[in-house]
Amino acid sequence: MTDLLAPRALTFSVTKNLAARSPQERDEILANPGFGKFFTDHMVDICWSEQGGWHRPRVQPYGPISLDPAAAVLHYGQEIFEGMKAYRHADGSIWTFRPEANAARMQRSARRLALPELPTDYFIESIKQLVAVDADWVPMADGTCLYLRPFMFAKEAFLGVRPAHKVAYYVIASPAGSYFSGGVAPVSIWLSAEYSRAAHGGTGAAKTGGNYAASLLAQQEAYDNGCDQVLFLDSREGKYVEELGGMNVVLVYKDGTLVTPDSKSILEGITRDSILQLAEDRGHKVERRNVSIDEWREGQASGDIVEAFACGTAAVITPIGLVKSNDFEIGSADAVAGELTMSLRQELTDIQYGRIEDRHGWLTRLDA
Ligand code: PLP
Ligand code: COI
């Protein structure tokens, strides 16, 4: 359902929020934003219909969305989303990281979920529009940013099971500190033996709500077992490492090789892709291949695997200290963060925050 209608008008109407938070309230939130708890004063929305294509781009006050109770998304989960961040540089300018990659992934997700594809220029413009009105919400403090959440869903009121003819695209934004309450300290992950996140031929590679819904019970099991995140194995053999509920996984071998699962049912993380590029730039070998949980377990026991980390927009790069399951444990909860893990994290965040040269041209300025 590619929507190749020429951009009718990329002119967003802007309605300012008359009940916007005061600078003082905003500063209080920005001083301790946590993750995903507070939202800025505005949101963007663009409509799509089968006849009219993309239309009515607008910026409006943040607030509840009115939906018909028969809206298809509420029944059949036809929905996709993205996650990205706006970073404030030392000179006050605001930037984002590889937005064309998020736009392209959203188009791939749209194809899989039979939703219309939002053209890349619309996607990037929608982010710029929101940041233009909510610029003061991009925090200054070290390690903080404005998390951006573009999403799209079927809003047609129709109970037959077919791709919807009316769709809405929104962008909301939320100031963010660290995703994990422990900051960058190594996290513990729970190996889900019972549940799969995504099936062969399913929607695992799409960023769609259903994948996250499928992960929630396993995520709760992780919490119940004292862990921060859940690790899923492949659904066919229950043998190969896939990814965490909301992050990719990378293992570091003692010869400096970085290994990450190659699977059609995991999300192709932009953070992971960028980190592997940075590692390659440093001369590390990178392998995208099947990695069994036994390889991880034996490799860590023998000392062949020396570091493991989780990565994603929200998590950035977070060391994995312990993998726990009903039958065995890998590593330990009080492991120290790996050296390569931390130095890649430093390099990536230095690029994102404009502290070192952006040699791959990954940054896009949002406020100019
Ligand atoms: N895997 C899952 C399931 C995710 O939700 C995310 C986060 O978006 C990632 C991996 C990492 O993707 P990215 O680095 O593009 O944020
Ligand atoms: C992201 O990293 O952007 C995600 O969507 C993952 C989620 C755990 C917040």
Side-chain angles (χ1 to χ4, degrees):
M1 294 232 294
T2 309
D3 181 55
L4 294 175
L5 287 183
R8 209 179 3 219
L10 209 53
T11 314
F12 284 67
S13 68
V14 179
T15 307
K16 284 283 177 74
N17 188 346
L18 300 176
R21 297 205 203 230
S22 68
Q24 194 197 339
E25 281 176 297
R26 192 179 56 227
D27 287 348
E28 275 167 27
I29 291 172
L30 296 187
N32 189 12
F35 184 87
K37 293 192 291 188
F38 303 99
F39 300 92
T40 65
D41 295 314
H42 297 87
M43 60 188 187
V44 156
D45 87 83
I46 312 180
C47 297
W48 181 89
S49 67
E50 204 172 44
Q51 277 100 38
W54 293 105
H55 59 277
R56 210 193 56 188
R58 58 182 185 172
V59 178
Q60 54 169 323
Y62 182 91
I65 298 173
S66 153
L67 268 189
D68 192 292
V73 64
L74 300 176
H75 303 270
Y76 310 125
Q78 196 188 2
E79 184 268 355
I80 57 175
F81 66 96
E82 270 304 320
M84 51 210 289
K85 286 176 168 174
Y87 306 91
R88 196 177 289 280
H89 288 189
D91 65 0
S93 58
I94 302 171
W95 301 74
T96 195
F97 186 71
R98 304 186 68 184
E100 7 14 77
N102 291 93
R105 187 169 65 191
M106 194 168 210
Q107 290 156 4
R108 293 197 298 277
S109 298
R111 284 199 289 278
R112 181 63 183 85
L113 271 289
L115 282 162
E117 291 174 47
L118 185 73
T120 303
D121 55 347
Y122 274 43
F123 179 88
I124 294 176
E125 185 58 26
S126 69
I127 305 290
K128 286 188 174 169
Q129 291 284 332
L130 186 56
V131 168
V133 287
D134 281 336
D136 290 342
W137 283 92
V138 184
M140 282 297 254
D142 214 21
T144 61
C145 60
L146 185 64
Y147 182 79
L148 301 162
R149 172 55 63 87
F151 59 105
M152 190 192 291
F153 59 86
K155 72 170 173 193
E156 186 186 3
F158 176 69
L159 292 185
V161 182
R162 60 145 170 77
H165 295 162
K166 281 192 186 150
V167 167
Y169 165 81
Y170 280 80
V171 190
I172 56 172
S174 172
S178 179
Y179 184 76
F180 293 110
S181 53
V184 197
V187 291
S188 299
I189 60 180
W190 173 251
L191 176 62
S192 175
E194 196 174 344
Y195 305 110
S196 290
R197 171 188 172 275
H200 178 72
T203 56
K207 205 160 166 61
T208 180
N211 293 336
Y212 296 80
S215 77
L216 295 178
L217 192 55
Q219 178 63 44
Q220 186 55 50
E221 202 176 78
Y223 293 142
D224 294 345
N225 283 279
C227 294
D228 306 282
Q229 268 278 312
V230 56
L231 170 66
F232 291 102
L233 300 179
D234 75 285
S235 64
R236 279 214 281 207
E237 295 181 66
K239 186 171 163 191
Y240 297 103
V241 175
E242 294 243 297
E243 62 179 332
L244 307 187
M247 291 144 220
N248 291 123
V249 171
V250 177
L251 305 177
V252 182
Y253 286 66
K254 72 167 185 263
D255 68 355
T257 303
L258 286 86
V259 177
T260 194
D262 180 31
S263 159
K264 289 196 168 42
S265 52
I266 66 177
L267 196 75
E268 292 174 282
I270 295 159
T271 315
R272 179 178 71 155
D273 184 68
S274 310
I275 294 162
L276 296 179
Q277 179 65 60
L278 295 179
E280 270 177 336
D281 294 349
R282 295 180 185 193
H284 288 268
K285 202 166 130 210
V286 165
E287 293 175 8
R288 291 174 175 82
R289 61 167 171 82
N290 286 344
V291 191
S292 68
I293 189 68
D294 289 342
E295 175 178 341
W296 188 347
R297 189 176 162 194
E298 285 155 20
Q300 196 137 345
S302 70
D304 271 352
I305 295 175
V306 290
E307 298 180 29
F309 61 85
C311 56
T313 299
V316 194
I317 301 179
T318 305
I320 297 172
L322 172 71
V323 182
K324 203 171 156 184
S325 76
N326 281 325
D327 308 319
F328 59 85
E329 291 191 354
I330 305 174
S332 104
D334 42 37
V336 288
E339 215 176 291
L340 184 64
T341 302
M342 295 313 282
S343 100
L344 287 170
R345 180 185 165 103
Q346 189 67 45
E347 185 175 1
L348 180 71
T349 53
D350 281 347
I351 294 172
Q352 290 169 332
Y353 285 92
R355 295 186 289 251
I356 59 171
E357 191 205 340
D358 171 26
R359 65 179 183 279
H360 291 286
W362 282 337
L363 299 186
T364 292
R365 189 160 178 182
L366 292 175
D367 63 332

